[in-house]
Amino acid sequence: MRILDQNIIKFKFSFLLSFMLLLSGEAFSEQQRVSLRWKPSQGAESYLIELSEDREFLRIHHFYKTKNFRYEFNSQDSKFYVRVVGITMDGVRGVSSPIISLADKFAAAPKVKVERPSTVVASSEELRISLGDPKTSGPSSNSPGSPNSQKQVPVSTYYRVNGGEWQKYEGSISLSQEGWNEVEFYSEDILGNKETPKKTKYLKDTTAPQVRLIGEKKGQSGLIEIKSGAELTLQVTEEGSGMEEITINLAARDGSGAEVNLTLSGEEAKKPIKISSSGIDGLSILRWEANDKAGNYIQSEIPLLIDAKHPVCVFAPTEGKLREDGIYYLKENGLIAIRCEDPGTGSGLSKLEYKIGNGPAQSYQTPIGFNTGIHTVTIYTSDRVGNQAEFKIKVNAIKPDWQKTGSELQEK
């Protein structure tokens, strides 16, 4: 019943569309590219980017399907109207976005010489490209079927992908191979006039950039633990269309202390990224969002334990007390116990050692005993990420010199 209700009641999508003008094309050629972005819609598992020659969308000319929130259009789509439709996991269509004229957007896009050797096509699981209306395609202008002739001769267009078999063009071409795809095409009229095949290349890139934190290991807490102020390194891998932008945020979960916000694009986004954790303490979240030039998008986060505080120690005499002069006075057989703890958000105690006077440092195991006299005790402690502390105390061990048996009274 629940599935039936989902099919009957369409869910709503709230689309906010924005366009960017991007540049791409053949080596040192002049081309235009337009990018469409929209906000993710709750309940949508993927999106259909539908193109039509009429604003009313009486007929869908072709479409692209993607799980991303961005798509780039080549000039081949410039004459179409576009809309975005969210699709649930069950295949239910949502409400369409506003309809936008790509012709208007391409008219405003500048033409600039670019060096990229081919066309980049946005991510799509069902990538289809268009060479235009096959009914108006024709051979070279000096043929009888050219637009310059008095009567239009029927033509057919043929294509092949990556050197495969020639096929008749029916309005769109499906590209199933990930990576670069070479498309060859030509037109031929019914009189046998055939134009020289043309070539174009498309990059089908459906793989989002890979971002990972390198050089760090999980600690006793089960989280990655680092010392506050240490640098984190993010490694970005993008082997398809190239990195567009990455945004990084690092902040304590409770909102206290410092916060890092970083946005990199282009070549800078390809290099290992160093992030300082200075001023941050406690349970923190490292978040990033990254997208490539094809529109593939990824977002992720990692919880971190960032430790800014060293362990804290307290000292307790078993037989004696701490006097106002700052010295621990011990009775005979008295001992000093040491207890050190890392703060609750810390990485945990790693080392606790002590030395008496100029003696050797030794690991603390049990309360410490002292010979009669005044002693200086140095305590060394550190946590698991390297925060260190040193404490000094003075101890005066007193041994009474009077006889415990008492004395005799003598008469004069």
Side-chain angles (χ1 to χ4, degrees):
M1 184 67 180
R2 179 175 174 269
I3 296 177
L4 180 60
D5 290 342
Q6 288 179 345
N7 289 329
I8 295 175
I9 303 174
K10 288 188 176 181
F11 55 92
K12 294 184 178 180
F13 290 109
S14 176
F15 282 98
L16 178 61
L17 302 181
S18 62
F19 273 90
M20 296 187 305
L21 305 181
L22 303 175
L23 309 174
S24 177
E26 302 296 320
F28 302 103
S29 66
E30 291 187 347
Q31 287 199 10
Q32 299 167 293
R33 292 173 63 79
V34 165
S35 178
L36 170 65
R37 281 186 176 181
W38 58 92
K39 284 189 174 181
S41 298
Q42 186 175 5
E45 191 268 341
S46 61
Y47 300 91
L48 280 183
I49 304 163
E50 298 179 327
L51 293 96
S52 176
E53 294 178 334
D54 58 275
R55 184 180 288 274
E56 291 73 26
F57 274 76
L58 300 176
R59 185 178 71 88
I60 304 298
H61 186 276
H62 62 284
F63 67 88
Y64 306 114
K65 184 179 179 183
T66 181
K67 293 184 178 180
N68 297 301
F69 316 126
R70 176 186 173 194
Y71 197 87
E72 291 184 13
F73 298 92
N74 300 302
S75 57
Q76 66 192 27
D77 290 326
S78 61
K79 68 177 182 179
F80 295 106
Y81 294 94
V82 62
R83 68 183 182 188
V84 180
V85 184
I87 307 295
T88 67
M89 188 176 297
D90 299 323
V92 180
R93 289 172 61 97
V95 178
S96 300
S97 71
I99 296 170
I100 295 176
S101 170
L102 288 178
D104 294 342
K105 300 303 176 182
F106 273 93
K111 291 184 178 181
V112 178
K113 288 185 177 181
V114 293
E115 300 181 16
R116 192 152 52 183
S118 50
T119 304
V120 174
V121 175
S123 165
S124 175
E125 291 75 19
E126 298 178 20
L127 182 58
R128 303 183 71 85
I129 64 172
S130 174
L131 301 176
D133 189 342
K135 296 180 181 179
T136 61
S137 301
S140 59
S141 59
N142 59 1
S143 69
S146 70
N148 296 329
S149 62
Q150 294 182 350
K151 185 177 181 181
Q152 181 70 37
V153 177
V155 298
S156 297
T157 300
Y158 299 89
Y159 74 94
R160 65 177 181 179
V161 179
N162 298 323
E165 295 183 1
W166 289 98
Q167 304 178 57
K168 188 174 181 179
Y169 174 67
E170 300 292 348
S172 64
I173 301 172
S174 177
L175 300 180
S176 59
Q177 178 175 308
E178 181 82 0
W180 289 109
N181 291 266
E182 183 179 75
V183 179
E184 300 174 79
F185 60 95
Y186 69 89
S187 293
E188 182 178 1
D189 63 22
I190 59 174
L191 301 178
N193 294 299
K194 180 179 177 181
E195 69 176 347
T196 302
K198 300 175 184 177
K199 291 183 180 181
T200 184
K201 290 179 70 176
Y202 293 89
L203 176 64
K204 181 179 180 181
D205 180 4
T206 62
T207 303
Q210 301 300 305
V211 184
R212 63 188 184 96
L213 183 63
I214 62 174
E216 304 296 340
K217 297 180 179 180
K218 290 184 178 181
Q220 191 176 22
S221 65
L223 304 176
I224 292 176
E225 300 174 353
I226 65 167
K227 183 179 180 180
S228 181
E231 280 191 332
L232 294 163
T233 303
L234 285 178
Q235 179 70 57
V236 181
T237 304
E238 167 53 41
E239 298 178 348
S241 54
M243 278 295 296
E244 178 73 20
E245 185 177 87
I246 182 169
T247 300
I248 302 164
N249 173 267
L250 174 62
R253 189 172 183 179
D254 62 4
S256 63
E259 182 174 352
V260 176
N261 286 288
L262 186 64
T263 298
L264 299 172
S265 58
E267 292 298 320
E268 292 300 316
K270 298 178 183 178
K271 303 174 183 177
I273 302 170
K274 302 290 185 180
I275 305 146
S276 174
S277 61
S278 180
I280 302 176
D281 181 52
L283 180 60
S284 304
I285 304 295
L286 175 64
R287 296 185 177 91
W288 63 79
E289 299 181 18
N291 56 277
D292 60 21
K293 293 182 182 298
N296 295 296
Y297 172 85
I298 187 173
Q299 62 178 353
S300 189
E301 64 180 39
I302 295 178
L304 305 173
L305 183 61
I306 300 180
D307 191 350
K309 300 180 178 70
H310 60 69
V312 177
C313 299
V314 295
F315 311 96
T318 59
E319 294 290 339
K321 65 178 181 177
L322 174 64
R323 295 277 293 270
E324 292 181 358
D325 54 9
I327 300 176
Y328 289 88
Y329 285 86
L330 300 184
K331 296 180 180 180
E332 186 178 18
N333 299 321
L335 304 171
I336 290 285
I338 304 173
R339 186 176 75 251
C340 297
E341 294 181 350
D342 210 24
T345 57
S347 56
L349 193 67
S350 173
K351 181 181 75 172
L352 177 56
E353 295 179 339
Y354 73 94
K355 71 176 183 178
I356 301 175
N358 295 322
Q362 49 191 315
S363 176
Y364 176 81
Q365 301 293 337
T366 58
I368 309 168
F370 298 87
N371 297 326
T372 303
I374 298 177
H375 306 273
T376 298
V377 184
T378 307
I379 296 92
Y380 307 95
T381 182
S382 64
D383 61 22
R384 294 179 181 276
V385 298
N387 291 302
Q388 299 179 351
E390 180 179 305
F391 303 92
K392 288 182 181 292
I393 62 172
K394 285 189 176 181
V395 177
N396 189 354
I398 299 174
K399 183 176 182 180
D401 55 4
W402 48 270
Q403 294 182 2
K404 296 180 179 180
T405 56
S407 59
E408 293 182 0
L409 295 176
Q410 296 181 1
E411 296 181 1
K412 293 183 178 179

